[in-house]
């Protein structure tokens, strides 16, 4: 019997920006979306018209992921440019205002807007989702539990949302706060087993709380469409290298937890609470955060926590042929995240005497120029 390939797929959400004003486009985007849907069948729509999503097919090779996602991005960026638009791959748009957005015309999105009201209208955010196929789909709930401690590291590496509604937030990954206004978000609960998770889903659907498990918007969840575990914690990554790094890390972490069933077995409420605290630290400071190590009972620098994770997955990265993408994590720490680059561009513009809006526009330009 052949070894599991841990097939994976990546979904990325992007903002559209007016090439001149740098804000979200004010005009009708129907022609743009129609052309995108005709020329890029893997694309999708998001909650508002000024967003678009790219999806890869199931993949088994890191090089194929780079070619597919990078190629789709270049094609999409070309269509945007011909429409007077630029693509922004980031968790929040520095200049966008949620109250000025036009909602996507779709039954699912209309239902969400109806169900959660202003919280859905305010969700002007973009993330990256990574699906990894699990050899035994019944093991996904156990894996979901045991992968919780790694979530803060993946968020920090992806941090790209330091601005919100035209203001500097003081955080590196503010997207998580916006998303947290919606129900059933954040870290998943700790379920005793797959049966307990299934019972929860059954009660939620039977009671009318949700239509199906796709309305559980946790940062990590079993997919209802595929035999995969879906990572949802990451901000949309500005640089392709960063997207591929996080996808590779998650893929390796899934394989790690499959081959080492004792790792993080028996996590309890304390473990989840510490993961939640570390998530806040990552949200606030990105790769400059210190993270609490439960076993040691103390906080350690992010770089040290990252090295511990990279040591754990070294065998998996070699087996899956993605060691170079995994090693990119060290460069993200050394160079800074997208959020760090955006803030540096913004602060440099202010130091040069530009006003607040011009400084935010400089952050938009940094995102657009650094992309892919």
């Amino acid at each position: 019997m052949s070894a599991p390939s841990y097939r994976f797929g990546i979904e990325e959400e992007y903002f559209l920006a007016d090439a001149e004003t740098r804000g979200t486009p004010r005009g009708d985007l129907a022609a743009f979306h129609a052309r995108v849907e005709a020329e890029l069948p893997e694309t999708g729509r998001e909650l508002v018209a000024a967003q678009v999503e790219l999806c890869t097919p199931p993949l088994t090779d890191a090089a194929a992921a780079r070619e597919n996602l990078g190629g789709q991005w270049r094609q999409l960026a070309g269509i945007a440019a011909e429409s007077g638009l630029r693509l922004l791959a980031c968790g929040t748009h520095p200049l966008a205002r949620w109250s000025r957005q036009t909602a996507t015309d779709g039954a699912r999105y209309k239902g969400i807007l109806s169900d959660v009201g202003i919280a859905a209208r305010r969700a002007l955010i973009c993330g990256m989702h990574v699906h990894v196929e699990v050899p035994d789909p019944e093991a996904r709930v156990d894996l979901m539990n045991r992968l919780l401690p790694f979530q803060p590291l993946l968020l920090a590496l992806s941090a790209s949302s330091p601005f919100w509604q035209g203001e500097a937030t003081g955080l590196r990954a503010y997207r998580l706060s916006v998303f947290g206004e919606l129900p059933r978000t954040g870290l998943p609960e700790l379920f005793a087993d797959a049966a307990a998770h299934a019972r929860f889903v059954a009660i939620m659907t039977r009671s009318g709380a949700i239509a199906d498990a796709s309305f559980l918007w946790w940062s990590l969840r079993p997919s209802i469409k595929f035999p995969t575990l879906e990572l949802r914690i990451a901000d949309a990554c500005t640089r392709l290298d960063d997207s591929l790094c996080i996808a590779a890390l998650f893929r390796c972490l899934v394989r790690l937890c499959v081959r080492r069933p004792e790792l993080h077995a028996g996590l309890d409420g304390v473990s989840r609470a510490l993961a939640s605290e570390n998530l806040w630290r990552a949200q606030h400071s990105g790769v400059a955060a210190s993270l609490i190590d439960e076993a040691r009972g103390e906080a350690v620098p992010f770089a040290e926590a990252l090295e511990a994770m990279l040591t754990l997955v070294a065998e998996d990265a070699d087996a899956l042929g993605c060691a170079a993408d995994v090693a990119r994590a060290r460069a993200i720490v050394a160079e800074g995240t997208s959020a760090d680059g955006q803030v540096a561009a913004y602060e440099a513009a202010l130091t040069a005497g530009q006003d607040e809006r011009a400084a935010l526009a400089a952050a938009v330009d940094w995102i657009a120029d650094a992309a892919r």
Side-chain angles (χ1 to χ4, degrees):
M1 184 176 179
S2 61
S5 63
Y6 293 91
R7 291 194 304 167
F8 68 106
I10 302 170
E11 303 168 356
E12 285 195 317
E13 301 159 356
Y14 312 122
F15 291 107
L16 300 172
D18 185 285
E20 292 186 7
T21 69
R22 279 82 151 203
T24 49
R26 295 293 182 88
D28 187 356
L29 293 169
F32 166 81
H33 284 295
R35 182 178 171 191
V36 168
E37 289 166 8
E39 297 183 23
L40 282 162
E42 297 295 337
T43 56
R45 299 290 295 273
E46 285 303 311
L47 195 61
V48 302
Q51 291 175 294
V52 65
E53 180 186 59
L54 285 183
C55 305
T56 72
L59 301 163
T60 57
D61 179 73
R66 179 177 297 277
E67 180 179 355
N68 184 279
L69 194 58
Q72 286 197 77
W73 167 272
R74 288 188 292 273
Q75 189 174 352
L76 182 60
I79 297 171
E82 292 173 11
S83 305
L85 305 170
R86 298 193 79 177
L87 288 182
L88 302 182
C90 51
T92 55
H93 185 311
L95 280 166
R97 307 290 177 138
W98 64 263
S99 59
R100 299 174 182 171
Q101 305 307 309
T102 301
T104 294
D105 186 16
R108 179 180 174 89
Y109 296 120
K110 286 182 178 179
I112 292 171
L113 289 167
S114 174
D115 288 345
V116 298
I118 197 171
R121 291 185 59 216
R122 282 172 51 84
L124 189 60
I125 52 178
C126 287
M128 179 179 77
H129 304 163
V130 182
H131 286 263
V132 173
E133 188 173 27
V134 175
D136 176 11
E138 287 299 308
R140 289 179 296 171
V141 171
D142 176 64
L143 293 171
M144 181 172 72
N145 289 343
R146 295 194 289 120
L147 285 162
L148 280 189
F150 298 117
Q151 295 241 310
L153 289 101
L154 299 177
L155 173 66
L157 291 167
S158 74
S160 67
S161 51
F163 300 102
W164 174 247
Q165 300 294 293
E167 294 188 26
T169 65
L171 277 63
R172 290 302 190 255
Y174 189 71
R175 165 186 154 270
L176 213 59
S177 292
V178 181
F179 198 50
E181 294 183 7
L182 295 170
R184 304 175 295 278
T185 55
L187 295 175
E189 303 299 329
L190 288 172
F191 291 96
D193 50 32
H197 177 265
R199 184 165 66 90
F200 173 73
V201 172
I203 293 171
M204 290 290 283
T205 52
R206 189 166 58 246
S207 67
I210 57 175
D212 56 51
S214 71
F215 289 84
L216 300 174
W217 295 312
W218 298 323
S219 62
L220 186 63
R221 69 181 184 185
S223 171
I224 67 168
K225 293 173 61 179
F226 311 110
T228 61
L229 197 59
E230 180 187 5
L231 178 76
R232 300 167 52 83
I233 193 65
D235 279 0
C237 293
T238 301
R239 298 168 294 213
L240 177 62
D241 286 346
D242 296 1
S243 297
L244 297 174
C245 171
I246 290 162
L249 277 170
F250 180 55
R251 188 181 177 209
C252 289
L253 286 167
V254 171
R255 185 181 187 275
L256 165 71
C257 287
V258 169
R259 70 178 175 84
R260 288 190 53 186
E262 82 287 354
L263 184 67
H264 294 162
L267 296 185
D268 58 15
V270 172
S271 306
R272 188 182 183 280
L274 290 174
S276 182
E277 170 63 20
N278 280 338
L279 207 59
W280 161 247
R281 289 167 174 247
Q283 184 186 4
H284 183 276
S285 304
V287 295
S290 60
L291 300 180
I292 298 172
D293 184 305
E294 181 176 2
R296 292 164 57 176
E298 60 186 18
V300 301
F302 184 88
E304 183 177 333
L306 176 64
E307 285 302 324
M309 181 173 71
L310 294 180
T311 298
L312 284 172
V313 301
E315 175 183 327
D316 307 284
D318 287 340
L320 296 174
C322 57
D325 286 328
V326 166
R328 166 69 186 164
R330 296 188 181 97
I332 296 175
V333 175
E335 299 167 6
T337 63
S338 170
D340 296 323
Q342 293 176 49
V343 170
Y346 166 81
E347 292 180 345
L350 290 178
T351 300
Q354 298 185 47
D355 63 21
E356 185 75 12
R357 195 189 189 289
L360 291 166
V364 172
D365 288 343
W366 186 93
I367 297 164
D369 292 341
R372 309 291 106 174

